[in-house]
Amino acid sequence: MSNRHAIVLAAGQGKRMKSSLYKVLHPVCGKPMVQHVIDQLNALKLQEIITIVGHGAEQVQEQIGEDSRFMIQEEQLGTGHAVQQAESVLGGQKGTTLVVCGDTPLLTSETLEALLDFHEKEEAKVTLLTAHADDPSGYGRIVRNENQDVAKIVEQKDATEQEQRIQEINTGTYCFDNEALFEALQHVSNNNAQGEYYLPDVIEILKNRNEKIGAFQTKSFDETLGVNDRVALSKAEQAMKRRINEYHMRNGVTLIDPDHTYIGLNVTIGQDAVIYPGSTIDGETAIDSGVEIGPNSEIKNCIIGQDTTIKQSVAHDSLIGARVKIGPYAHIRPSSKLADDVKVGNFVEIKKATFGEGSKASHLSYIGDAEVGNEVNIGCGTITVNYDGENKYLTTIQDGAFIGCNSNLVAPVTIGEGAYVAAGSTITDDVPNSSLSIARSRQTNKEGYVEKMKNKNNN
Ligand code: UD1
Ligand code: MG
């Protein structure tokens, strides 16, 4: 393999985004656009990646970190000028230089690899990645001569009416013979509608010298989408979402309505899982086979075991076992651990709590900072009173305990193995194993009281 480098253009502020965030840092499916590009380049095993960043774009450098070397483009004078910033590193080297824009997040390493191979096989001085666009507006157009060879690229703002009708577009991705690139860049001027040094002008310069210009047309326009404004950002998000969702469906996951299912890039899902509409599954989440999620659920950074169901619920940063039933309307907050066969029903909030196998909190409870053993039954309306305004305290409920409805367990407190807590109790002291604890005032019935009151009022 020859000497291969890549230059990523990421110095533009992105005025059309109308944002305080650098354009290439806007996320697509949760990952900054430029990181998508870098990740795909990393798969190509290039000698080095050089990213061109604007003055003061420390955030871009922080995001990319050690995956790239950085060159600063002090003033954004155009894409040609941006590439020139890499000359001090690459100038004079033999080999191929791939140039990619930081605002094309959907490009895949497969397409880039195919472009590199095609370029090197054809021994062209430059090979363009082009695409057919149904609506080419905003893109540079590929102008071909009578032999159908590429003659030049013309930018939208500089194009004649006839040129504007061309639907073959410049994707902003190119392979160059490295020496020819830097030599030709010296002859690029800024005599155009935007007063910028355009990288695409290198094509016409090389063509006029009768150098070989190649064009590699990708079948997928989606993949080459360039994001210049928020409308395009939403299109990129949709296309990436479709790509992720199709990947899971091909792997044996049922998505009832893929247009309304949002799955992050690092999520893994086992076979025969079913995801219902309106669900967002994100972060480092691993879902085992047969799991059912949704509708309308939000899962982030969770590990979920086989055949668990989560309906209309939120779960973050937690471990959830197999055959667990969650929801509807449950909230599993961070650091919770639910063992196999647990049930967390409607309007139950769990925070930093562990539940042993087969334990249940079926309705309307708050269980926070708690260790719940196996086969525990937590009645409707139970609350672990874990906070005194300053500190949080632990509630321990041991195996087989039964907590009656509407109980307050004032932590720190332990309910012993097999113990019963009577409904409506406020427990402030530990309950020994196998005992019944009643902590409420006794009921008094005043017989005939109502009649007596009525008579009194009538007199
Ligand atoms: C560019 C191409 C256009 C192509 C389109 C594909 C030029 C002149 N036009 O247009 O032919 O169809 O991409 O998406 O190249 N950048 C710098 N420094 C600069 C200017 C830009 O680093 O001085 C970076 C930007 O951060 C961006 C990339 O270069 O990532 C492309 O710039 P952008 O302004 O988005 O160009 P387009 O108008 O999209
Ligand atoms: Mg662009």
Side-chain angles (χ1 to χ4, degrees):
M1 203 193 294
S2 74
N3 193 9
R4 288 175 170 180
H5 288 86
I7 299 175
V8 180
L9 305 183
Q13 175 72 49
K15 289 195 196 85
R16 290 164 281 183
M17 294 296 280
K18 303 210 166 91
S19 174
S20 56
L21 185 66
Y22 255 79
K23 173 166 80 171
V24 296
L25 291 178
H26 277 265
V28 169
C29 288
K31 191 200 280 191
M33 288 199 268
V34 70
Q35 192 64 52
H36 281 283
V37 173
I38 297 280
D39 288 350
Q40 296 302 316
L41 290 174
N42 272 337
L44 297 177
K45 309 272 176 291
L46 303 163
Q47 214 122 318
E48 193 166 38
I49 299 170
I50 298 156
T51 305
I52 314 298
V53 293
H55 188 68
E58 286 81 13
Q59 284 170 295
V60 179
Q61 296 189 43
E62 262 169 48
Q63 170 61 43
I64 299 172
E66 290 183 354
D67 285 344
S68 174
R69 176 197 279 234
F70 298 96
M71 302 303 286
I72 309 275
Q73 184 191 22
E74 294 282 346
E75 259 188 292
Q76 280 66 67
L77 301 180
T79 47
H81 179 257
V83 171
Q84 263 179 329
Q85 310 310 307
E87 190 167 5
S88 58
V89 183
L90 294 180
Q93 290 203 40
K94 291 208 182 311
T96 302
T97 297
L98 178 63
V99 176
V100 191
C101 296
D103 66 353
T104 47
L106 290 142
L107 273 177
T108 62
S109 57
E110 289 79 13
T111 298
L112 295 172
E113 182 91 59
L115 173 69
L116 278 161
D117 290 345
F118 179 84
H119 170 78
E120 287 170 0
K121 204 173 95 225
E122 294 285 308
E123 294 181 347
K125 284 285 183 242
V126 52
T127 305
L128 313 171
L129 182 68
T130 76
H132 173 90
D134 290 337
D135 173 14
S137 49
Y139 291 93
R141 311 294 207 284
I142 308 291
V143 180
R144 291 179 182 260
N145 63 19
E146 56 284 359
N147 304 327
Q148 291 308 305
D149 293 334
V150 175
K152 62 175 182 175
I153 296 173
V154 57
E155 290 305 301
Q156 164 96 20
K157 288 187 177 149
D158 302 293
T160 62
E161 254 178 56
Q162 198 189 353
E163 286 167 337
Q164 289 195 14
R165 283 198 288 272
I166 299 173
Q167 286 183 298
E168 189 180 10
I169 58 125
N170 172 28
T171 66
T173 306
Y174 325 73
C175 277
F176 290 98
D177 169 275
N178 187 66
E179 289 170 301
L181 168 64
F182 288 106
E183 200 286 314
L185 272 174
Q186 292 173 14
H187 304 284
V188 170
S189 84
N190 64 353
N191 184 17
N192 52 50
Q194 300 186 82
E196 288 185 358
Y197 296 91
Y198 292 160
L199 176 63
D201 284 0
V202 164
I203 282 73
E204 195 177 4
I205 292 169
L206 292 173
K207 184 69 193 169
N208 288 342
R209 294 183 193 162
N210 283 323
E211 296 288 11
K212 188 166 180 184
I213 316 288
F216 182 82
Q217 196 181 102
T218 155
K219 288 188 191 66
S220 157
F221 168 73
D222 267 5
E223 198 183 305
T224 65
L225 196 91
V227 175
N228 293 327
D229 60 19
R230 311 246 186 179
V231 175
L233 183 67
S234 81
K235 287 189 178 141
E237 180 85 20
Q238 265 175 8
M240 186 69 79
K241 174 165 67 96
R242 207 176 310 128
R243 186 186 287 175
I244 296 169
N245 287 352
E246 283 178 8
Y247 165 82
H248 288 294
M249 290 189 277
R250 294 215 161 82
N251 263 353
V253 178
T254 296
L255 305 185
I256 301 295
D257 181 359
D259 286 342
H260 298 97
T261 303
Y262 309 86
I263 302 174
L265 288 147
N266 298 335
V267 173
T268 60
I269 311 180
Q271 238 172 286
D272 292 320
V274 181
I275 316 293
Y276 291 90
S279 298
T280 301
I281 307 173
D282 230 335
E284 305 294 324
T285 292
I287 296 173
D288 211 332
S289 57
V291 167
E292 290 189 18
I293 292 179
N296 303 322
S297 293
E298 180 188 306
I299 315 288
K300 191 168 191 167
N301 299 324
C302 286
I303 299 189
I304 302 173
Q306 244 178 12
D307 296 328
T308 282
T309 59
I310 303 181
K311 290 184 176 167
Q312 282 113 337
S313 292
V314 174
H316 282 198
D317 302 280
S318 291
L319 295 175
I320 298 166
R323 299 173 303 281
V324 171
K325 291 198 171 10
I326 295 175
Y329 311 111
H331 189 183
I332 313 295
R333 290 172 54 200
S335 305
S336 295
K337 244 188 196 172
L338 310 182
D340 296 347
D341 302 298
V342 160
K343 182 168 179 215
V344 176
N346 23 204
F347 306 106
V348 173
E349 177 179 345
I350 308 274
K351 191 227 49 175
K352 207 177 173 188
T354 58
F355 270 55
E357 279 181 28
S359 289
K360 295 183 175 68
S362 299
H363 335 264
L364 296 149
S365 289
Y366 170 65
I367 310 295
D369 300 296
E371 282 174 11
V372 178
N374 299 331
E375 303 296 337
V376 168
N377 195 322
I378 297 178
C380 174
T382 298
I383 290 174
T384 54
V385 185
N386 60 332
Y387 187 47
D388 64 3
E390 274 184 36
N391 295 305
K392 303 268 167 74
Y393 301 95
L394 183 73
T395 299
T396 305
I397 307 175
Q398 293 178 342
D399 294 352
F402 182 97
I403 314 297
C405 291
N406 208 24
S407 297
N408 299 310
L409 308 177
V410 183
V413 73
T414 296
I415 314 298
E417 222 176 290
Y420 270 56
V421 170
S425 293
T426 292
I427 301 291
T428 52
D429 299 320
D430 290 352
V431 179
N433 293 351
S434 306
S435 47
L436 168 67
S437 181
I438 308 174
R440 63 183 186 221
S441 54
R442 277 199 170 275
Q443 180 172 337
T444 18
N445 293 339
K446 300 194 172 175
E447 282 183 31
Y449 178 84
V450 176
E451 202 60 26
K452 223 189 284 172
M453 284 296 285
K454 274 189 193 157
N455 291 338
K456 199 173 157 193
N457 288 341
N458 289 339
N459 292 329

